[in-house]
Amino acid sequence: MAECSAMRESMPLLLTESLDAAGRELAHQHIETCAACGEEWQAMKETWALLAELPQVEVPLRVRDRFLAEVMPAAAQPSNVVPFVRRGALKWLAQAAAVVLIAGGSYFAGHRTVTVEPQQAKITGATPISYIPQGQQQQQPLYSLAETRVLPATALSPNIQGRPEIDNVQFVDADPKDGQIGLSFDLTSHVTVNGSPNDKSMVRLLSYVLQSADRASLSRSHTIDVLRNTYGNSPDTDPEIAQALAKVLRTDDHQGMRIAAIDTLKTLPAKATRTEPTRDALIEALRSDPNPAVRIKAVEALAKMASSGQTLAPEAVDMLRQKASQNDENLYVRVKAAEALSQIH
């Protein structure tokens, strides 16, 4: 891709800290989300480290004289030519030149290994994609989403990638005599999780996002749409998805969200909706939801359960009977409840 080609051309500048702040941020974001460029960047850093370990060699006299003869004719050479002296900057420039040559030739494309730090947590503005060379099996630690986490300093990578937001910094020293200090802070980072919709970790993550969408970047209505498109009519839907929708039905103050939750429940397979929390949420919505449209949707969901071959619980049947004969209930709710009862065998 053109973006990857341009990014790889800028990697030597990134390595030598020659990019401006905006360029560094864009480069790190791309590297952390592109497995191929992440592999290239890792190899370039390893090459840089290896070059730094090479011994410094004096410039041979004949090479020095030839160089001076090329750049400065003999007649113009001053009598006080400063001799070549080993300097750290020269080695640094040699490293940079070598990295540029390697990046252009991609010599290490098939001859490198990636150093994996399974025991270290990285402070990062965007969680990078883990790259494992083909044929190698690495036991990766599980990435845990937690509101509070305590880490030993030895478990934290010294490399801070991107520009993560660190706020609410506090210095903690529980025991001044133990020779240790503590640093507490809030970290804002961006995480991308890829996986099968039926993976338990993905199911649990989507359930949490749905139930806390008022604080998330995605709106709750958008999350419900995603769940409907992903799990609607899918035979392998996890019951936890239905239970998350049931919780929205019980707790959301917006009637549109409660209707959307039931409409999505109606698209899920029978084995996902036959759990007690889902059934109880529908019964409670039919019994006491203040909006008749929500009560109608609850009747339709219970009727779908009955028509799909599920055996409705006695509590659900009793509630349908009550609504079908309740004089002060909305007429359409009463009609729908009677129709649902006619489908129950």
Side-chain angles (χ1 to χ4, degrees):
M1 295 176 61
E3 183 180 2
C4 292
S5 299
M7 184 57 58
R8 294 180 187 182
E9 291 178 1
S10 68
M11 283 183 183
L13 298 177
L14 179 64
L15 191 63
T16 56
E17 300 182 358
S18 302
L19 288 178
D20 57 21
R24 287 196 306 271
E25 177 67 12
L26 289 174
H28 279 300
Q29 289 180 358
H30 178 86
I31 290 169
E32 292 162 358
T33 56
C34 176
C37 289
E39 177 189 357
E40 194 73 26
W41 174 241
Q42 181 67 32
M44 191 171 292
K45 289 193 297 182
E46 290 176 1
T47 304
W48 179 267
L50 289 173
L51 289 171
E53 297 174 0
L54 294 176
Q56 295 188 15
V57 181
E58 291 285 355
V59 178
L61 183 61
R62 67 179 186 280
V63 175
R64 183 196 66 177
D65 292 341
R66 182 177 178 182
F67 172 77
L68 291 176
E70 291 287 341
V71 301
M72 189 180 300
Q77 288 186 18
S79 59
N80 59 342
V81 175
V82 178
F84 279 67
V85 180
R86 289 188 300 173
R87 296 177 183 269
L90 294 177
K91 185 172 183 179
W92 184 87
L93 290 173
Q95 285 179 261
V99 168
V100 171
L101 290 174
I102 292 171
S106 299
Y107 175 79
F108 286 97
H111 302 83
R112 56 177 170 249
T113 58
V114 177
T115 302
V116 181
E117 301 173 346
Q119 301 301 324
Q120 290 187 326
K122 294 184 178 180
I123 298 179
T124 172
T127 299
I129 298 174
S130 298
Y131 172 75
I132 303 175
Q134 189 173 9
Q136 295 186 22
Q137 296 297 325
Q138 293 283 355
Q139 184 62 37
Q140 295 287 349
L142 295 179
Y143 184 91
S144 175
L145 298 181
E147 185 175 7
T148 302
R149 179 181 286 108
V150 178
L151 296 173
T154 54
L156 187 68
S157 170
N159 299 321
I160 299 178
Q161 302 181 14
R163 300 177 62 85
E165 299 268 347
I166 294 181
D167 297 311
N168 193 24
V169 177
Q170 300 179 28
F171 294 92
V172 182
D173 193 357
D175 185 358
K177 299 180 181 179
D178 64 359
Q180 296 186 352
I181 62 172
L183 180 62
S184 175
F185 55 87
D186 295 333
L187 175 66
T188 301
S189 61
H190 190 77
V191 179
T192 301
V193 179
N194 296 316
S196 167
N198 300 315
D199 187 283
K200 192 62 177 180
S201 296
M202 183 65 76
V203 169
R204 188 65 52 80
L205 179 60
L206 287 172
S207 299
Y208 180 80
V209 169
L210 177 61
Q211 296 172 49
S212 60
D214 53 333
R215 293 182 294 161
S217 58
L218 292 175
S219 67
R220 179 165 287 175
S221 60
H222 186 191
T223 306
I224 291 177
D225 289 341
V226 170
L227 294 182
R228 183 186 303 115
N229 294 333
T230 304
Y231 296 102
N233 301 315
S234 173
D236 298 323
T237 300
D238 193 297
E240 191 167 342
I241 295 295
Q243 293 173 22
L245 291 165
K247 187 171 183 179
V248 172
L249 176 58
R250 290 194 302 267
T251 61
D252 201 294
D253 295 332
H254 195 284
Q255 65 187 39
M257 291 300 98
R258 301 197 299 275
I259 291 174
I262 299 178
D263 281 339
T264 303
L265 280 172
K266 288 162 55 181
T267 67
L268 302 185
K271 74 171 188 177
T273 59
R274 63 165 59 106
T275 62
E276 185 174 336
T278 302
R279 180 203 65 200
D280 291 349
L282 290 171
I283 293 173
E284 184 59 32
L286 179 55
R287 174 188 293 113
S288 58
D289 195 282
N291 190 283
V294 177
R295 300 198 298 274
I296 291 171
K297 292 292 184 181
V299 172
E300 292 175 351
L302 292 171
K304 182 178 182 297
M305 289 182 179
S307 64
S308 64
Q310 293 190 53
T311 301
L312 285 185
E315 297 88 345
V317 177
D318 290 343
M319 182 52 59
L320 288 171
R321 288 172 176 165
Q322 177 182 329
K323 289 297 176 178
S325 59
Q326 186 175 328
N327 293 330
D328 59 349
E329 179 55 88
N330 179 278
L331 178 59
Y332 195 59
V333 175
R334 294 176 61 184
V335 171
K336 296 296 289 185
E339 291 177 354
L341 286 169
S342 66
Q343 300 176 19
I344 297 175
H345 301 287

